[in-house]
């Protein structure tokens, strides 16, 4: 990927990795995404603290793109864009994968846009469970959008439970982001 000098790539970027563990890490003020996991398997993210200016556009917290068997827990994330995104963008990968078997729990999110976005890409997102989440002072709580800029994403068997949401739009579902 080519980025302008003022906006380098992701602060953390893992592509097609296995058995990855991120624990007790603090990330601050990324000019782009804070952490991006693309095509990774068997990932554990625990105790990730992400804080950035809420006015900074497109500085996502955690992006899980075509990842499998991921557990995210006990994270505090405050960003100008999506705190957590489940994506299905298979095009750049050597081997296309389904984004599946994702479990997210016990996290607190705050954002100027979407706390949790499900969609983006031309692949699949399925069999994910997101529970015990607090969304504070945000524009959107949960945003589900199967048609985004890169094409249509198939989304199935995603469960959300035990949420506390303080957002202008607690649940935002659209068939076409634009």
């Amino acid at each position: 990927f080519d980025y302008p000098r003022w906006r380098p790539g992701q602060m953390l970027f893992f592509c097609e990795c296995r058995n990855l563990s991120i624990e007790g890490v603090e990330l601050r003020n990324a000019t782009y995404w804070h952490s991006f996991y693309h095509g990774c398997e068997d990932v554990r993210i625990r105790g990730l603290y992400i804080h950035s200016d809420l006015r900074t556009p497109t500085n996502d917290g955690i992006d899980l793109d075509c990842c499998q068997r991921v557990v995210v827990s006990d994270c505090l994330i405050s960003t100008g864009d999506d705190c957590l995104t489940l994506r299905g963008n298979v095009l750049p990968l050597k081997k296309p994968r389904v984004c599946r078997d994702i479990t997210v729990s016990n996290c607190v999110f705050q954002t100027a846009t979407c706390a949790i976005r499900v969609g983006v890409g031309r692949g699949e997102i399925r069999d994910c469970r997101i529970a015990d989440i607090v969304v504070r002072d945000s524009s959107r709580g949960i945003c589900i959008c199967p048609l985004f800029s890169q094409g249509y994403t198939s989304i199935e068997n995603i469960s959300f439970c035990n949420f506390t949401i303080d957002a202008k739009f607690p649940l935002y579902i659209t068939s076409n982001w634009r």
Side-chain angles (χ1 to χ4, degrees), residues 141-154:
I142 300 167
C143 178
I144 300 173
C145 181
L147 182 58
F148 203 76
S149 60
Q150 295 150 333
Y152 175 78
T153 305
S154 172

Side-chain angles (χ1 to χ4, degrees), residues 23-172:
E23 188 166 343
V25 174
E26 180 176 336
L27 304 174
R28 290 185 167 270
N29 298 317
T31 57
Y32 195 56
W33 298 350
H34 287 83
S35 64
F36 180 33
Y37 310 84
H38 199 181
C40 297
E41 298 177 1
D42 303 307
V43 177
R44 179 159 174 82
I45 302 167
R46 185 172 183 270
L48 188 59
Y49 175 80
I50 295 175
H51 182 78
S52 65
D53 190 323
L54 294 174
R55 298 171 295 177
T56 304
T58 317
N59 69 340
D60 295 12
I62 298 172
D63 281 63
L64 302 171
D65 197 340
C66 300
C67 292
Q68 298 178 357
R69 297 177 305 282
V70 178
V71 176
V72 176
S73 69
D74 307 303
C75 296
L76 299 172
I77 301 176
S78 178
T79 65
D81 204 358
D82 310 327
C83 293
L84 172 76
T85 301
L86 302 181
R87 302 167 44 101
N89 186 18
V90 297
L91 295 179
L93 295 172
K94 291 177 190 171
K95 174 186 167 193
R97 294 174 174 86
V98 172
C99 186
R100 69 171 189 204
D101 302 323
I102 311 288
T103 302
V104 180
S105 65
N106 197 36
C107 295
V108 178
F109 298 143
Q110 179 182 15
T111 179
T113 57
C114 294
I116 298 168
R117 180 186 309 277
V118 180
V120 179
R122 293 185 181 172
E124 299 175 53
I125 302 168
R126 67 175 184 240
D127 305 325
C128 303
R129 185 177 192 280
I130 305 171
D132 303 315
I133 305 295
V134 174
V135 176
R136 293 186 293 178
D137 192 26
S138 298
S139 175
R140 294 176 189 93
I142 300 167
C143 178
I144 300 173
C145 181
L147 182 58
F148 203 76
S149 60
Q150 295 150 333
Y152 175 78
T153 305
S154 172
I155 300 170
E156 62 182 68
N157 196 25
I158 311 294
S159 72
F160 301 94
C161 70
N162 199 24
F163 271 65
T164 300
I165 300 177
D166 173 22
K168 183 176 180 181
F169 302 100
L171 180 60
Y172 187 84

